[in-house]
């Protein structure tokens, strides 16, 4: 028996919104530790990794490890039926081929349930090695989304270069060039507005705008985003989901020919 | 534009 209850169903809805551009379907691996998802986009260029801890749920029970393959368009339809303040309870029997989502309104005056068919997905799992990153940038997630959106107008790629002075985002194309520099700023009163850089050595890497833009769909999940970079290693774009876990995206740098 | 490297080139298939 699997049962997970989340008072803020909107958090799960935000997770779905964040990954549905990249993934059509995905397997949710449920265990006593929580719910994990790891999947590559259809072009096998980027990797999505979601971890929702069991103790972040308001109720969590998983008697037997369970992999639930879901069509994310269908799952999106189910969550469209929920209210913004609803509580969601997900339930599945052992070896079931369906999962049930029950939505309860705050006042408990409306309860709806939707049963969705599960899929058998043959998904590859990748082993992600521990990496000593050259630099780790933490910045407001809205600012990151804005910069990626703005610079995407100039070219198909963005260079992210990081030194002890700050981080620079650059793009160039037919119409010209764009550069955005951010200095480290520490706002002790408003931690979420800070830009912090943990630098081992300067690094400059090039990434495809298309994927960076997709990653920023996770902006509503978190005030801050963490970018981890190292030469010849995929970029990690991480959004912490308060009290529940994290959503990470991995993207390989473009290599100069 | 340089080709985008597949992520499987970096992480091991388990």
């Amino acid at each position: 028996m699997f049962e997970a209850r989340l008072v803020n169903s909107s958090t799960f809805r935000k997770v779905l919104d964040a990954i549905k551009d990249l993934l059509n379907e995905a397997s949710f691996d449920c265990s006593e530790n929580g719910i994990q998802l790891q999947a590559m986009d259809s072009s096998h260029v980027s990797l999505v990794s979601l971890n929702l801890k069991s103790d972040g749920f308001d109720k969590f029970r998983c008697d037997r490890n369970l992999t639930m393959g879901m069509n994310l368009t269908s799952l999106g339809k189910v969550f469209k039926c929920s209210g913004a303040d609803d509580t969601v309870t997900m339930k599945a029997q052992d070896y079931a081929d369906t999962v049930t989502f029950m939505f309860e309104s705050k006042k408990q005056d409306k309860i709806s349930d939707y049963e969705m068919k599960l899929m058998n997905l043959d998904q590859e799992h990748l082993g992600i090695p521990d990496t000593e990153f050259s630099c780790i940038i933490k910045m407001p997630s809205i600012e990151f989304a804005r910069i990626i959106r703005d610079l995407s107008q100039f070219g198909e790629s963005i260079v992210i270069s990081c030194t002890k002075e700050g981080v620079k985002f650059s793009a160039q194309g037919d119409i010209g060039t764009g550069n955005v520099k951010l200095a480290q700023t520490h706002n002790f009163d408003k931690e979420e507005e800070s830009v912090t850089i943990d630098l081992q050595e300067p690094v400059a890497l090039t990434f495809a705008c298309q994927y960076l833009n997709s990653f920023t769909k996770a902006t509503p999940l978190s005030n801050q985003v963490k970018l981890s970079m190292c030469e010849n290693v995929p970029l990690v774009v991480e959004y912490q989901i308060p009290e529940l876990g994290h959503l990470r995206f991995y993207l390989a740098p473009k290599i100069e020919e | 534009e340089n080709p985008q490297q597949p992520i499987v080139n970096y992480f091991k298939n388990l």
Side-chain angles (χ1 to χ4, degrees):
Chain A
M1 172 80 180
F2 165 73
E3 186 174 351
R5 178 183 159 91
L6 198 56
V7 167
N8 294 315
S9 66
S10 58
T11 304
F12 201 83
R13 197 167 163 171
K14 287 176 193 168
V15 169
L16 269 184
D17 286 339
I19 63 176
K20 69 179 188 203
D21 268 17
L22 290 165
L23 310 174
N24 297 322
E25 47 205 30
S27 286
F28 292 80
D29 297 317
C30 308
S31 70
E32 58 180 11
N33 298 323
I35 302 176
Q36 276 86 35
L37 175 156
Q38 194 209 71
M40 285 182 277
D41 71 283
S42 54
S43 324
H44 287 203
V45 163
S46 65
L47 182 77
V48 178
S49 173
L50 171 72
N51 185 18
L52 305 177
K53 297 174 293 178
S54 54
D55 57 11
F57 288 84
D58 303 286
K59 181 181 178 186
F60 195 91
R61 175 183 168 189
C62 187
D63 303 335
R64 187 184 286 272
N65 289 2
L66 180 72
T67 296
M68 298 193 290
M70 296 189 208
N71 178 301
L72 297 185
T73 308
S74 307
L75 188 55
K77 286 177 183 172
V78 169
F79 272 80
K80 241 181 199 164
C81 304
S82 67
D85 297 327
D86 282 1
T87 291
V88 61
T89 305
M90 296 170 249
K91 271 187 195 177
Q93 300 296 328
D94 294 343
Y95 312 110
D97 55 4
T98 60
V99 57
T100 303
F101 297 90
M102 183 176 75
F103 298 107
E104 295 166 82
S105 64
K106 271 270 178 292
K107 290 185 197 161
Q108 298 273 317
D109 53 355
K110 180 181 172 187
I111 296 175
S112 47
D113 65 85
Y114 301 91
E115 190 182 69
M116 194 181 81
K117 288 176 192 159
L118 294 174
M119 308 165 77
N120 273 320
L121 300 174
D122 187 19
Q123 289 204 322
E124 294 170 86
H125 267 80
L126 301 180
I128 302 167
D130 286 334
T131 304
E132 290 273 332
F133 289 101
S134 304
C135 72
I136 296 174
I137 304 153
K138 289 182 189 164
M139 61 184 286
S141 58
I142 288 181
E143 187 67 85
F144 178 63
R146 175 73 203 255
I147 292 169
I148 300 302
R149 191 191 72 191
D150 290 349
L151 291 181
S152 295
Q153 302 180 101
F154 290 84
E156 289 181 12
S157 303
I158 290 179
V159 181
I160 307 177
S161 44
C162 190
T163 62
K164 63 178 189 305
E165 278 76 40
V167 55
K168 185 172 87 168
F169 300 84
S170 316
Q172 58 177 331
D174 294 341
I175 65 165
T177 62
N179 293 293
V180 181
K181 289 178 205 162
L182 294 180
Q184 284 204 68
T185 51
H186 209 104
N187 188 332
F188 290 98
D189 296 329
K190 290 185 176 174
E191 198 78 30
E192 68 274 12
E193 290 179 10
S194 299
V195 175
T196 56
I197 297 169
D198 179 3
L199 187 87
Q200 305 303 315
E201 57 179 331
V203 61
L205 297 169
T206 308
F207 301 100
C209 290
Q210 180 199 338
Y211 291 95
L212 295 176
N213 260 317
S214 293
F215 303 163
T216 63
K217 297 282 165 29
T219 303
L221 281 172
S222 191
N223 290 327
Q224 285 251 315
V225 61
K226 183 166 99 175
L227 313 175
S228 304
M229 299 203 298
C230 187
E231 205 73 51
N232 299 319
V233 165
L235 163 77
V236 190
V237 179
E238 179 178 320
Y239 294 85
Q240 284 288 332
I241 307 169
E243 289 156 31
L244 192 57
H246 63 249
L247 177 60
R248 288 184 188 144
F249 301 98
Y250 295 83
L251 178 67
K254 286 192 164 190
I255 294 171
E256 298 302 324
E257 283 172 345
Chain B
E1 278 296 317
N2 299 332
Q4 183 66 55
Q5 298 296 310
I7 202 80
V8 279
N9 289 4
Y10 293 85
F11 297 147
K12 276 196 188 128
N13 229 321
L14 294 180

Short mmCIF file of all heavy atoms in Angstrom, two decimals, chain A residues 188-238:
data_model
loop_
_atom_site.label_atom_id
_atom_site.label_comp_id
_atom_site.label_asym_id
_atom_site.label_seq_id
_atom_site.Cartn_x
_atom_site.Cartn_y
_atom_site.Cartn_z
N PHE A 188 21.36 40.36 4.48
CA PHE A 188 21.10 39.53 5.66
C PHE A 188 19.62 39.55 6.05
O PHE A 188 19.12 38.62 6.64
CB PHE A 188 21.98 39.96 6.84
CG PHE A 188 23.42 39.62 6.62
CD1 PHE A 188 24.32 40.56 6.16
CD2 PHE A 188 23.88 38.32 6.85
CE1 PHE A 188 25.65 40.23 5.93
CE2 PHE A 188 25.21 37.98 6.64
CZ PHE A 188 26.09 38.94 6.18
N ASP A 189 18.95 40.67 5.72
CA ASP A 189 17.53 40.76 6.05
C ASP A 189 16.68 39.95 5.08
O ASP A 189 15.69 39.35 5.46
CB ASP A 189 17.07 42.23 6.01
CG ASP A 189 17.77 43.04 7.07
OD1 ASP A 189 18.10 42.45 8.12
OD2 ASP A 189 18.02 44.24 6.84
N LYS A 190 17.09 39.98 3.82
CA LYS A 190 16.34 39.24 2.80
C LYS A 190 17.29 38.28 2.09
O LYS A 190 17.81 38.57 1.02
CB LYS A 190 15.71 40.21 1.79
CG LYS A 190 14.57 41.02 2.38
CD LYS A 190 13.91 41.85 1.31
CE LYS A 190 12.71 42.59 1.89
NZ LYS A 190 12.13 43.52 0.92
N GLU A 191 17.51 37.14 2.75
CA GLU A 191 18.43 36.12 2.26
C GLU A 191 18.11 35.71 0.80
O GLU A 191 19.00 35.47 0.00
CB GLU A 191 18.33 34.88 3.16
CG GLU A 191 19.48 33.91 3.07
CD GLU A 191 20.72 34.37 3.82
OE1 GLU A 191 20.59 35.09 4.83
OE2 GLU A 191 21.79 34.00 3.39
N GLU A 192 16.81 35.67 0.50
CA GLU A 192 16.38 35.19 -0.83
C GLU A 192 16.78 36.15 -1.96
O GLU A 192 16.75 35.78 -3.12
CB GLU A 192 14.87 34.91 -0.85
CG GLU A 192 13.96 36.12 -0.74
CD GLU A 192 13.69 36.54 0.70
OE1 GLU A 192 14.36 36.06 1.63
OE2 GLU A 192 12.79 37.39 0.89
N GLU A 193 17.16 37.39 -1.60
CA GLU A 193 17.55 38.35 -2.64
C GLU A 193 19.07 38.39 -2.85
O GLU A 193 19.56 39.16 -3.68
CB GLU A 193 17.02 39.75 -2.28
CG GLU A 193 15.52 39.83 -2.39
CD GLU A 193 14.97 41.21 -2.00
OE1 GLU A 193 15.77 42.14 -1.82
OE2 GLU A 193 13.74 41.30 -1.86
N SER A 194 19.79 37.59 -2.09
CA SER A 194 21.26 37.62 -2.16
C SER A 194 21.78 36.90 -3.39
O SER A 194 21.16 35.96 -3.89
CB SER A 194 21.86 36.93 -0.93
OG SER A 194 21.48 37.60 0.23
N VAL A 195 22.96 37.34 -3.84
CA VAL A 195 23.72 36.61 -4.86
C VAL A 195 25.00 36.18 -4.16
O VAL A 195 25.77 37.04 -3.71
CB VAL A 195 24.05 37.49 -6.08
CG1 VAL A 195 24.94 36.73 -7.07
CG2 VAL A 195 22.78 37.98 -6.76
N THR A 196 25.23 34.89 -4.03
CA THR A 196 26.46 34.44 -3.36
C THR A 196 27.23 33.50 -4.28
O THR A 196 26.63 32.74 -5.05
CB THR A 196 26.17 33.72 -2.03
OG1 THR A 196 25.27 32.63 -2.29
CG2 THR A 196 25.53 34.63 -1.01
N ILE A 197 28.54 33.60 -4.22
CA ILE A 197 29.40 32.78 -5.07
C ILE A 197 30.43 32.06 -4.21
O ILE A 197 31.15 32.69 -3.44
CB ILE A 197 30.13 33.66 -6.13
CG1 ILE A 197 29.08 34.30 -7.06
CG2 ILE A 197 31.11 32.83 -6.94
CD1 ILE A 197 29.65 35.39 -7.95
N ASP A 198 30.44 30.74 -4.34
CA ASP A 198 31.45 29.94 -3.66
C ASP A 198 32.41 29.48 -4.76
O ASP A 198 32.06 28.61 -5.56
CB ASP A 198 30.76 28.76 -2.96
CG ASP A 198 31.74 27.86 -2.24
OD1 ASP A 198 32.95 28.17 -2.24
OD2 ASP A 198 31.31 26.82 -1.70
N LEU A 199 33.59 30.11 -4.81
CA LEU A 199 34.48 29.91 -5.96
C LEU A 199 35.76 29.17 -5.57
O LEU A 199 36.48 29.60 -4.67
CB LEU A 199 34.85 31.27 -6.57
CG LEU A 199 35.64 31.22 -7.86
CD1 LEU A 199 34.72 31.12 -9.06
CD2 LEU A 199 36.53 32.45 -7.98
N GLN A 200 36.04 28.07 -6.25
CA GLN A 200 37.33 27.38 -6.10
C GLN A 200 38.28 27.88 -7.19
O GLN A 200 39.43 28.16 -6.93
CB GLN A 200 37.16 25.86 -6.21
CG GLN A 200 36.15 25.26 -5.24
CD GLN A 200 36.48 25.57 -3.80
OE1 GLN A 200 37.63 25.47 -3.38
NE2 GLN A 200 35.48 25.97 -3.02
N GLU A 201 37.76 27.93 -8.43
CA GLU A 201 38.53 28.53 -9.53
C GLU A 201 37.57 29.07 -10.57
O GLU A 201 36.45 28.57 -10.71
CB GLU A 201 39.48 27.50 -10.15
CG GLU A 201 38.83 26.25 -10.65
CD GLU A 201 39.84 25.29 -11.27
OE1 GLU A 201 40.86 25.77 -11.79
OE2 GLU A 201 39.60 24.08 -11.24
N PRO A 202 38.02 30.12 -11.32
CA PRO A 202 37.13 30.72 -12.32
C PRO A 202 36.73 29.69 -13.38
O PRO A 202 37.53 28.81 -13.73
CB PRO A 202 37.97 31.84 -12.93
CG PRO A 202 39.04 32.10 -11.93
CD PRO A 202 39.31 30.81 -11.25
N VAL A 203 35.53 29.81 -13.87
CA VAL A 203 35.04 28.88 -14.89
C VAL A 203 34.12 29.63 -15.84
O VAL A 203 33.42 30.57 -15.44
CB VAL A 203 34.35 27.66 -14.21
CG1 VAL A 203 33.16 28.07 -13.38
CG2 VAL A 203 33.93 26.60 -15.22
N ALA A 204 34.18 29.24 -17.13
CA ALA A 204 33.28 29.81 -18.14
C ALA A 204 32.77 28.68 -19.02
O ALA A 204 33.58 27.95 -19.62
CB ALA A 204 34.00 30.86 -18.97
N LEU A 205 31.47 28.48 -19.06
CA LEU A 205 30.90 27.37 -19.82
C LEU A 205 29.72 27.86 -20.64
O LEU A 205 29.05 28.83 -20.27
CB LEU A 205 30.45 26.25 -18.87
CG LEU A 205 31.54 25.57 -18.04
CD1 LEU A 205 30.93 24.69 -16.96
CD2 LEU A 205 32.46 24.73 -18.93
N THR A 206 29.47 27.17 -21.76
CA THR A 206 28.41 27.56 -22.69
C THR A 206 27.27 26.54 -22.65
O THR A 206 27.52 25.33 -22.69
CB THR A 206 28.98 27.62 -24.13
OG1 THR A 206 30.15 28.44 -24.10
CG2 THR A 206 27.97 28.19 -25.10
N PHE A 207 26.05 27.06 -22.57
CA PHE A 207 24.88 26.17 -22.49
C PHE A 207 23.79 26.61 -23.46
O PHE A 207 23.68 27.80 -23.79
CB PHE A 207 24.31 26.17 -21.06
CG PHE A 207 25.30 25.73 -20.03
CD1 PHE A 207 25.96 26.68 -19.26
CD2 PHE A 207 25.60 24.40 -19.86
CE1 PHE A 207 26.90 26.29 -18.31
CE2 PHE A 207 26.54 24.00 -18.92
CZ PHE A 207 27.18 24.95 -18.14
N ALA A 208 22.97 25.65 -23.88
CA ALA A 208 21.88 25.94 -24.82
C ALA A 208 20.73 26.66 -24.09
O ALA A 208 20.26 26.20 -23.06
CB ALA A 208 21.37 24.63 -25.41
N CYS A 209 20.30 27.78 -24.67
CA CYS A 209 19.22 28.58 -24.08
C CYS A 209 17.93 27.78 -23.92
O CYS A 209 17.21 27.92 -22.93
CB CYS A 209 18.88 29.76 -24.98
SG CYS A 209 20.14 30.99 -25.03
N GLN A 210 17.64 26.96 -24.92
CA GLN A 210 16.39 26.21 -24.93
C GLN A 210 16.20 25.42 -23.63
O GLN A 210 15.12 25.43 -23.03
CB GLN A 210 16.42 25.25 -26.13
CG GLN A 210 15.21 24.40 -26.29
CD GLN A 210 15.50 23.18 -27.18
OE1 GLN A 210 16.45 23.19 -27.97
NE2 GLN A 210 14.69 22.16 -27.05
N TYR A 211 17.27 24.77 -23.18
CA TYR A 211 17.16 23.95 -21.97
C TYR A 211 17.14 24.82 -20.71
O TYR A 211 16.39 24.57 -19.78
CB TYR A 211 18.29 22.91 -21.92
CG TYR A 211 18.08 21.87 -22.99
CD1 TYR A 211 18.70 21.98 -24.23
CD2 TYR A 211 17.20 20.81 -22.79
CE1 TYR A 211 18.48 21.05 -25.23
CE2 TYR A 211 16.98 19.87 -23.79
CZ TYR A 211 17.61 20.00 -25.00
OH TYR A 211 17.36 19.09 -25.99
N LEU A 212 18.01 25.86 -20.70
CA LEU A 212 18.03 26.75 -19.53
C LEU A 212 16.65 27.36 -19.32
O LEU A 212 16.15 27.46 -18.20
CB LEU A 212 19.08 27.85 -19.71
CG LEU A 212 20.54 27.40 -19.79
CD1 LEU A 212 21.45 28.59 -20.07
CD2 LEU A 212 20.97 26.71 -18.50
N ASN A 213 16.01 27.74 -20.44
CA ASN A 213 14.66 28.31 -20.35
C ASN A 213 13.66 27.31 -19.78
O ASN A 213 12.81 27.67 -18.97
CB ASN A 213 14.19 28.76 -21.74
CG ASN A 213 14.35 30.26 -21.93
OD1 ASN A 213 14.03 31.04 -21.03
ND2 ASN A 213 14.85 30.66 -23.08
N SER A 214 13.78 26.07 -20.20
CA SER A 214 12.88 25.03 -19.66
C SER A 214 13.07 24.87 -18.15
O SER A 214 12.11 24.72 -17.41
CB SER A 214 13.14 23.68 -20.33
OG SER A 214 12.77 23.73 -21.67
N PHE A 215 14.35 24.92 -17.71
CA PHE A 215 14.63 24.74 -16.28
C PHE A 215 13.96 25.85 -15.44
O PHE A 215 13.53 25.61 -14.32
CB PHE A 215 16.14 24.75 -15.99
CG PHE A 215 16.95 23.71 -16.73
CD1 PHE A 215 18.33 23.82 -16.84
CD2 PHE A 215 16.33 22.61 -17.33
CE1 PHE A 215 19.08 22.87 -17.52
CE2 PHE A 215 17.08 21.66 -18.02
CZ PHE A 215 18.46 21.80 -18.12
N THR A 216 13.90 27.06 -16.03
CA THR A 216 13.36 28.18 -15.24
C THR A 216 11.85 28.07 -15.03
O THR A 216 11.28 28.87 -14.29
CB THR A 216 13.69 29.55 -15.88
OG1 THR A 216 13.06 29.62 -17.17
CG2 THR A 216 15.18 29.77 -16.03
N LYS A 217 11.22 27.06 -15.63
CA LYS A 217 9.79 26.81 -15.35
C LYS A 217 9.61 26.39 -13.88
O LYS A 217 8.50 26.37 -13.36
CB LYS A 217 9.24 25.72 -16.28
CG LYS A 217 9.28 26.11 -17.75
CD LYS A 217 8.15 27.06 -18.07
CE LYS A 217 8.23 27.82 -19.36
NZ LYS A 217 8.89 27.31 -20.49
N ALA A 218 10.73 26.05 -13.22
CA ALA A 218 10.67 25.66 -11.80
C ALA A 218 10.73 26.87 -10.87
O ALA A 218 10.67 26.70 -9.64
CB ALA A 218 11.83 24.71 -11.49
N THR A 219 10.84 28.07 -11.42
CA THR A 219 10.98 29.28 -10.60
C THR A 219 9.94 29.39 -9.47
O THR A 219 10.30 29.73 -8.34
CB THR A 219 10.94 30.54 -11.51
OG1 THR A 219 11.97 30.40 -12.49
CG2 THR A 219 11.15 31.81 -10.71
N PRO A 220 8.64 29.09 -9.71
CA PRO A 220 7.67 29.24 -8.61
C PRO A 220 7.92 28.32 -7.41
O PRO A 220 7.34 28.53 -6.35
CB PRO A 220 6.33 28.88 -9.28
CG PRO A 220 6.54 29.10 -10.73
CD PRO A 220 7.97 28.73 -10.98
N LEU A 221 8.81 27.34 -7.57
CA LEU A 221 9.06 26.41 -6.46
C LEU A 221 9.94 27.00 -5.37
O LEU A 221 9.90 26.59 -4.22
CB LEU A 221 9.75 25.14 -6.98
CG LEU A 221 8.88 24.09 -7.65
CD1 LEU A 221 9.76 23.02 -8.29
CD2 LEU A 221 7.93 23.46 -6.64
N SER A 222 10.80 27.97 -5.75
CA SER A 222 11.83 28.40 -4.81
C SER A 222 12.26 29.84 -5.08
O SER A 222 12.35 30.25 -6.23
CB SER A 222 13.03 27.46 -4.98
OG SER A 222 13.95 27.65 -3.97
N ASN A 223 12.56 30.58 -4.02
CA ASN A 223 13.05 31.96 -4.18
C ASN A 223 14.45 32.01 -4.75
O ASN A 223 14.83 32.98 -5.38
CB ASN A 223 13.07 32.67 -2.82
CG ASN A 223 11.69 32.95 -2.31
OD1 ASN A 223 10.78 33.20 -3.10
ND2 ASN A 223 11.51 32.90 -1.00
N GLN A 224 15.23 30.97 -4.45
CA GLN A 224 16.62 30.95 -4.89
C GLN A 224 16.89 29.76 -5.80
O GLN A 224 16.24 28.72 -5.69
CB GLN A 224 17.55 30.87 -3.66
CG GLN A 224 17.68 32.17 -2.90
CD GLN A 224 19.04 32.83 -3.06
OE1 GLN A 224 20.07 32.18 -2.98
NE2 GLN A 224 19.05 34.14 -3.28
N VAL A 225 17.85 29.94 -6.68
CA VAL A 225 18.31 28.83 -7.52
C VAL A 225 19.81 28.68 -7.29
O VAL A 225 20.49 29.65 -7.02
CB VAL A 225 17.98 29.10 -9.02
CG1 VAL A 225 18.67 30.34 -9.56
CG2 VAL A 225 18.33 27.89 -9.89
N LYS A 226 20.28 27.43 -7.36
CA LYS A 226 21.71 27.17 -7.17
C LYS A 226 22.28 26.61 -8.47
O LYS A 226 21.76 25.63 -9.00
CB LYS A 226 21.90 26.16 -6.03
CG LYS A 226 23.35 25.88 -5.69
CD LYS A 226 23.47 25.15 -4.36
CE LYS A 226 23.64 23.67 -4.55
NZ LYS A 226 23.89 22.95 -3.30
N LEU A 227 23.32 27.26 -8.99
CA LEU A 227 23.99 26.81 -10.21
C LEU A 227 25.36 26.27 -9.83
O LEU A 227 26.16 27.00 -9.23
CB LEU A 227 24.17 27.97 -11.20
CG LEU A 227 22.97 28.87 -11.48
CD1 LEU A 227 23.38 30.04 -12.38
CD2 LEU A 227 21.84 28.08 -12.13
N SER A 228 25.63 25.02 -10.14
CA SER A 228 26.93 24.42 -9.83
C SER A 228 27.65 24.12 -11.14
O SER A 228 27.09 23.43 -12.00
CB SER A 228 26.76 23.14 -9.02
OG SER A 228 26.00 23.39 -7.86
N MET A 229 28.87 24.64 -11.26
CA MET A 229 29.60 24.49 -12.53
C MET A 229 31.02 23.98 -12.31
O MET A 229 31.67 24.31 -11.31
CB MET A 229 29.69 25.83 -13.26
CG MET A 229 28.36 26.44 -13.64
SD MET A 229 28.52 27.58 -15.02
CE MET A 229 29.61 28.81 -14.33
N CYS A 230 31.46 23.21 -13.30
CA CYS A 230 32.83 22.70 -13.30
C CYS A 230 33.16 22.35 -14.75
O CYS A 230 32.28 21.92 -15.50
CB CYS A 230 32.89 21.44 -12.42
SG CYS A 230 34.54 20.82 -12.17
N GLU A 231 34.42 22.55 -15.14
CA GLU A 231 34.86 22.26 -16.50
C GLU A 231 34.52 20.83 -16.90
O GLU A 231 34.75 19.90 -16.11
CB GLU A 231 36.39 22.46 -16.55
CG GLU A 231 36.96 22.79 -17.89
CD GLU A 231 36.64 24.22 -18.32
OE1 GLU A 231 36.90 25.14 -17.54
OE2 GLU A 231 36.13 24.37 -19.43
N ASN A 232 33.97 20.65 -18.08
CA ASN A 232 33.68 19.31 -18.64
C ASN A 232 32.71 18.46 -17.82
O ASN A 232 32.77 17.24 -17.88
CB ASN A 232 34.97 18.52 -18.86
CG ASN A 232 35.89 19.20 -19.83
OD1 ASN A 232 35.43 19.74 -20.85
ND2 ASN A 232 37.17 19.24 -19.52
N VAL A 233 31.90 19.13 -17.04
CA VAL A 233 30.92 18.42 -16.21
C VAL A 233 29.57 19.11 -16.43
O VAL A 233 29.53 20.33 -16.60
CB VAL A 233 31.35 18.49 -14.72
CG1 VAL A 233 30.22 18.09 -13.79
CG2 VAL A 233 32.57 17.62 -14.47
N PRO A 234 28.47 18.35 -16.44
CA PRO A 234 27.17 19.02 -16.62
C PRO A 234 26.88 20.05 -15.53
O PRO A 234 27.22 19.86 -14.36
CB PRO A 234 26.17 17.86 -16.55
CG PRO A 234 26.95 16.69 -17.01
CD PRO A 234 28.34 16.89 -16.45
N LEU A 235 26.26 21.13 -15.96
CA LEU A 235 25.76 22.17 -15.05
C LEU A 235 24.62 21.55 -14.22
O LEU A 235 23.83 20.76 -14.73
CB LEU A 235 25.19 23.31 -15.90
CG LEU A 235 24.26 24.33 -15.25
CD1 LEU A 235 25.07 25.32 -14.40
CD2 LEU A 235 23.47 25.09 -16.32
N VAL A 236 24.57 21.92 -12.94
CA VAL A 236 23.43 21.51 -12.11
C VAL A 236 22.65 22.77 -11.74
O VAL A 236 23.21 23.72 -11.19
CB VAL A 236 23.88 20.80 -10.81
CG1 VAL A 236 22.67 20.19 -10.11
CG2 VAL A 236 24.92 19.74 -11.09
N VAL A 237 21.38 22.77 -12.08
CA VAL A 237 20.49 23.87 -11.72
C VAL A 237 19.52 23.31 -10.69
O VAL A 237 18.74 22.41 -11.00
CB VAL A 237 19.73 24.40 -12.96
CG1 VAL A 237 18.79 25.53 -12.57
CG2 VAL A 237 20.70 24.85 -14.04
N GLU A 238 19.64 23.83 -9.46
CA GLU A 238 18.87 23.21 -8.36
C GLU A 238 17.89 24.18 -7.72
O GLU A 238 18.24 25.31 -7.38
CB GLU A 238 19.83 22.69 -7.29
CG GLU A 238 19.10 22.07 -6.10
CD GLU A 238 20.03 21.51 -5.05
OE1 GLU A 238 21.07 20.92 -5.41
OE2 GLU A 238 19.74 21.69 -3.86
#
